[in-house]
Amino acid sequence: MTLLDDVLIEEYERSKKIKAAMEKEISQLPQGYISKKLIHNKSYFYIQKRKGPKIISSYISTKDLPILEKQIIRRKQLEMSLKEVKANIKKIERVIK
């Protein structure tokens, strides 16, 4: 094997570990998005997510809202990064073969 092959294989293994870690963290974070509803001039917040053809809403208390917002933002960031990692893995697989 050449030095380049060794580096590619090392990067491939590293990328697979990163992908697994990202998928694990994503699975532990809440799905969906936060919506605000105005009812009798009061704001209420709900987390909404799709289950099949239906959208399920769950009430969020105001004390839990900041934490949940951060978790949802983190999930979106991880999902975008995961796409990049998967693309890199595919490129490396094509080069290694």
Side-chain angles (χ1 to χ4, degrees):
M1 283 191 156
T2 66
L3 181 60
L4 181 59
D5 290 338
D6 291 340
V7 170
L8 283 172
I9 290 170
E10 186 178 314
E11 179 63 23
Y12 179 71
E13 294 300 323
R14 187 184 72 79
S15 295
K16 284 176 62 176
K17 288 178 185 176
I18 290 171
K19 178 184 171 221
M22 287 177 152
E23 288 173 340
K24 181 179 178 184
E25 188 175 349
I26 287 171
S27 70
Q28 295 172 349
L29 293 170
Q31 281 183 310
Y33 60 94
I34 295 175
S35 68
K36 178 180 175 182
K37 296 182 182 181
L38 195 63
I39 302 171
H40 301 295
N41 293 326
K42 282 185 149 182
S43 295
Y44 295 92
F45 295 93
Y46 295 85
I47 185 163
Q48 296 186 317
K49 58 185 167 187
R50 184 170 291 281
K51 284 206 176 178
K54 293 185 178 185
I55 295 178
I56 308 297
S57 296
S58 301
Y59 175 74
I60 304 169
S61 67
T62 52
K63 68 176 182 156
D64 295 335
L65 183 63
I67 296 167
L68 201 55
E69 283 178 328
K70 288 179 186 176
Q71 289 176 337
I72 289 175
I73 290 169
R74 176 71 177 149
R75 182 185 178 100
K76 299 282 185 211
Q77 291 170 340
L78 283 171
E79 287 172 342
M80 289 174 34
S81 296
L82 184 60
K83 285 181 184 180
E84 293 175 15
V85 169
K86 285 180 178 180
N88 287 340
I89 289 173
K90 282 186 179 182
K91 286 180 188 176
I92 293 171
E93 286 174 343
R94 278 188 259 140
V95 172
I96 290 175
K97 289 183 180 181

